[in-house]
């Protein structure tokens, strides 16, 4: 089978992890295009209107932007929309919105919320992303005080909880919604599960992930979703 499309992405972007998990679950052949973070705004096929990753380009060159709409599009095109179909659309829509609102905001605090974690994260990101020679070094050293001092510290202070407590609360709230089942979607994961899974998985390349690993129902769910990926 030929490639279904191209995913323009950054390795460390949580929104890209959402789409990647879905592609792996559905076992869809595709190309990954890791963009240079410094050049993304100019080089993305959706630029200049949309300057964010992920961007999905279908095999017929149609361009799709924004992670949740991309997931819906891929499910529709390659899976008869089965992961989005439900008897309770109100519950699904409410929780998709909840996941996109709350989990998306919780990744920065855990990765950059203290000076030490920010340093560890930016060093790792500079190795994982396709930076140029200069920007790689610049990001590794100038990135962490910016991420920590300007962005993360404010968010942690505003929330009032430690980043670990914030994640444990989110995982409690999410898994409590399963009504005793293994997934939000019931016996098998649906698109809401894959969206949440993407945010959680985006933390997995970093040492701070261990703070999530001691949430047992959260990890039962995470590992159960992971087990459905065909990679
Ligand atoms: N709502 C978008 C958010 C995407 C997003 O913010 N991506 C970040 C990288 S993690 C980005 O490209 N930021 C560049 C910018 O905001 O200009 C989605 O879900 O795809």
């Amino acid at each position: 089978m030929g490639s279904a499309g191209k995913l323009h992405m950054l390795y460390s972007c949580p929104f890209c992890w959402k789409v990647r998990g879905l592609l792996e679950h559905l076992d869809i052949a595709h190309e990954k295009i890791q963009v240079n973070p410094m050049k993304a705004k100019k080089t993305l096929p959706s630029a200049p209107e949309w300057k964010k990753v992920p961007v999905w380009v279908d095999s017929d060159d149609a361009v799709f932007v924004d992670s949740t709409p991309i997931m819906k599009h891929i499910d529709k095109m390659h899976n008869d929309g089965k992961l989005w179909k439900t008897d309770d659309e109100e519950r699904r829509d409410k929780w998709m919105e909840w996941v996109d609102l709350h989990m998306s905001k919780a990744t920065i605090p855990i990765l950059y919320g203290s000076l030490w974690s920010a340093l560890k994260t930016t060093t790792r990101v500079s190795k994982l992303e396709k930076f140029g020679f200069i920007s790689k070094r610049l990001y590794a050293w100038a990135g962490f005080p910016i991420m920590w001092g300007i962005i993360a510290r404010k968010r942690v202070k505003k929330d009032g909880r430690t980043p670990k407590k914030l994640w444990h609360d989110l995982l409690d709230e999410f898994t409590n919604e399963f009504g005793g089942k293994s997934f939000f979607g019931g016996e098998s994961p649906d698109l809401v599960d894959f969206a949440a899974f993407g945010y959680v998985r985006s933390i997995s390349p970093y040492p701070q992930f261990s703070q999530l690993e001691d949430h047992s129902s959260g990890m039962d769910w995470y590992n159960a979703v992971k087990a459905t990926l065909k990679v």
Side-chain angles (χ1 to χ4, degrees), residues 106-114 116-118 120-121 156 161-171 200 203-204 206-216 218-219:
T107 61
I108 296 240
I110 194 145
L111 294 179
Y112 300 96
S114 74
W116 178 238
S117 59
K120 278 191 291 192
T121 305
V156 175
R161 288 170 286 184
T162 63
K164 176 175 176 173
K165 174 83 172 79
L166 167 61
W167 267 106
H168 281 228
D169 286 352
L170 291 174
L171 289 169
V200 175
I203 304 163
S204 69
Y206 309 95
Q208 292 90 322
F209 193 62
S210 64
Q211 297 180 29
L212 270 61
E213 282 176 317
D214 36 70
H215 190 284
S216 66
M219 279 305 117

Side-chain angles (χ1 to χ4, degrees), residues 103-187:
M103 287 197 173
S104 66
K105 289 213 183 85
T107 61
I108 296 240
I110 194 145
L111 294 179
Y112 300 96
S114 74
L115 197 55
W116 178 238
S117 59
L119 175 61
K120 278 191 291 192
T121 305
T122 43
T123 310
R124 183 122 177 78
V125 167
S126 75
K127 291 192 181 115
L128 292 169
E129 299 293 1
K130 277 201 170 152
F131 282 104
F133 181 82
I134 306 276
S135 57
K136 186 190 211 86
R137 282 145 185 87
L138 202 64
Y139 182 80
W141 290 103
F144 85 92
I146 295 172
M147 291 305 291
W148 169 71
I150 299 174
I151 303 166
R153 210 158 43 141
K154 255 192 229 147
R155 277 205 202 172
V156 175
K157 218 169 145 189
K158 198 170 156 213
D159 185 79
R161 288 170 286 184
T162 63
K164 176 175 176 173
K165 174 83 172 79
L166 167 61
W167 267 106
H168 281 228
D169 286 352
L170 291 174
L171 289 169
D172 277 344
E173 215 178 317
F174 187 58
T175 54
N176 284 341
E177 177 57 29
F178 296 0
K181 304 260 171 64
S182 301
F183 304 99
F184 178 87
E187 308 303 337

Side-chain angles (χ1 to χ4, degrees), residues 10 12-16 18-19 35 37 40-41 44 50-55 65-70 100 104 199:
L10 286 170
S12 50
C13 168
F15 309 100
C16 300
K18 284 166 62 184
V19 179
V35 302
K41 287 186 168 57
L44 284 174
W50 185 271
K51 298 172 187 162
K52 299 176 186 185
V53 287
V55 173
V65 299
D66 208 2
S67 55
T68 295
I70 293 173
D100 275 338
S104 66
Y199 289 116

